[in-house]
Amino acid sequence: MKQDWPAAARTLSEALPYLQRYSGAVVVVKFGGNAMGDDDAMAQFARDIVLMRQVGVNPVVVHGGGPMINEMLDKLGIKSDWLRGKRVTDKATVEVVEMVLTGLVNKRIVQAIMDEGGRAVGISGKDDDLMVCEADDPELGFVGRPVEMNVQVIRDLYNAGIIPVIAPVATGMKDNETFNVNGDTAAGAIAGALKADRLLLLTDVKGVKNKAGEVVTQMTPEEVRAMIADGTIAGGMIPKTETALAAVEAGVRAVVILDGRVDNACLLELFTEGGAGSMIRS
Ligand code: X2W
């Protein structure tokens, strides 16, 4: 397709007020395993993140990787069960989770950002005691619930011009335990502790839908609670919206649930009039 250059220049010009608004802002982006896709999609995501950094935003990437963990568990012949949207995680499973998330997935994202000319450093919730957890529920084994956040390492990285890329694996309070943390939960806890300007939850649906099946573009926490109570919000959208509510309560200015498979999803949300997906804010 031939580029429409006058329109491209106009788009850039129209972005000026948004570029000014987000200069210096902290934007936590949760990049889920289902939103990652192929190498092209990964490169596109990385390009958006590097562009954000280039125009003065401080992006912080928190990733998932559920499908990649499934693939490795399958290869190793380890069976995995799910309970209320979380992986039941025994000792053998948590070792695979840590290897896949902090190794394969984390380094793939770091590399993609560097390929686009950005600086990125990959860490997990274990590094510098970033995210200390307790067991979430005895039935889930080594699944962590963040209880103590030490986010200075993230500030140190972005203040040095480096994009932090964080795997949702954490330390326990005792015995050097390792915990598997749901990626949305980790992103919410990190955004809350940073009092981020935005938390973008990139997923593989268009946003939160109302009873008529239309994506709701703006919601207050009260409206979200009512939609959960009356069953309008159901299934996998429940933990996502609950993460959003907790993050807003912790001081994040706004949370947006959006479709990460759409080209330039992050740029659309931050730098255009219409935005993208569903925004939750007070
Ligand atoms: C997740 C961590 C990865 C994740 C898991 O084991 O799959 C729990 O369920 P997505 O791609 O964002 O779903 N942890 C406790 O959240 O990945």
Side-chain angles (χ1 to χ4, degrees), residues 16-241:
L16 179 62
Y18 303 98
L19 296 171
Q20 289 166 327
R21 182 191 300 167
Y22 288 110
S23 179
V26 175
V27 177
V28 176
V29 183
K30 156 71 198 313
F31 192 32
N34 286 321
M36 276 171 209
D38 57 15
D39 285 347
D40 283 348
M42 177 64 84
Q44 173 121 153
F45 168 79
R47 204 175 165 82
D48 283 9
I49 295 292
V50 172
L51 193 145
M52 280 160 71
R53 175 77 231 182
Q54 188 68 38
V55 299
V57 175
N58 295 303
V60 174
V61 177
V62 181
H63 63 84
M68 298 78 187
I69 297 169
N70 290 341
E71 206 178 300
M72 188 59 77
L73 288 171
D74 275 354
K75 276 191 198 160
L76 295 170
I78 300 172
K79 224 177 92 8
S80 205
D81 291 319
W82 293 81
L83 201 62
R84 295 181 285 279
K86 291 178 182 165
R87 189 187 305 277
V88 179
T89 305
D90 62 10
K91 188 90 178 85
T93 304
V94 82
E95 286 180 355
V96 175
V97 168
E98 184 170 28
M99 283 194 282
V100 171
L101 293 182
T102 71
L104 288 178
V105 178
N106 187 276
K107 298 314 163 202
R108 184 175 171 223
I109 299 168
V110 167
Q111 186 63 55
I113 291 173
M114 293 189 302
D115 286 347
E116 298 300 329
R119 294 182 68 200
V121 165
I123 59 173
S124 80
K126 281 187 171 181
D127 292 85
D128 205 32
D129 269 346
L130 165 59
M131 184 164 60
V132 182
C133 284
E134 276 177 358
D136 189 25
D137 175 337
E139 285 184 277
L140 291 170
F142 294 100
V143 169
R145 184 167 53 83
V147 286
E148 193 188 299
M149 305 299 294
N150 302 294
V151 290
Q152 188 56 42
V153 65
I154 299 179
R155 296 195 187 102
D156 291 344
L157 287 169
Y158 68 59
N159 286 334
I162 296 167
I163 299 164
V165 178
I166 304 160
V169 171
T171 314
M173 304 289 275
K174 57 179 191 316
D175 304 332
N176 292 328
E177 289 165 305
T178 299
F179 282 110
N180 174 14
V181 185
N182 172 273
D184 291 338
T185 307
I190 288 167
L194 287 168
K195 302 224 179 296
D197 297 280
R198 286 283 181 282
L199 166 60
L200 308 183
L201 294 172
L202 297 188
T203 181
D204 59 352
V205 294
K206 290 200 170 68
V208 180
K209 292 186 176 158
N210 62 18
K211 281 213 164 69
E214 300 145 346
V215 172
V216 188
T217 55
Q218 291 269 354
M219 285 170 291
T220 62
E222 294 68 37
E223 286 165 340
V224 172
R225 278 190 207 97
M227 285 168 80
I228 294 175
D230 73 11
T232 310
I233 293 176
M237 200 44 88
I238 294 177
K240 267 198 203 310
T241 46

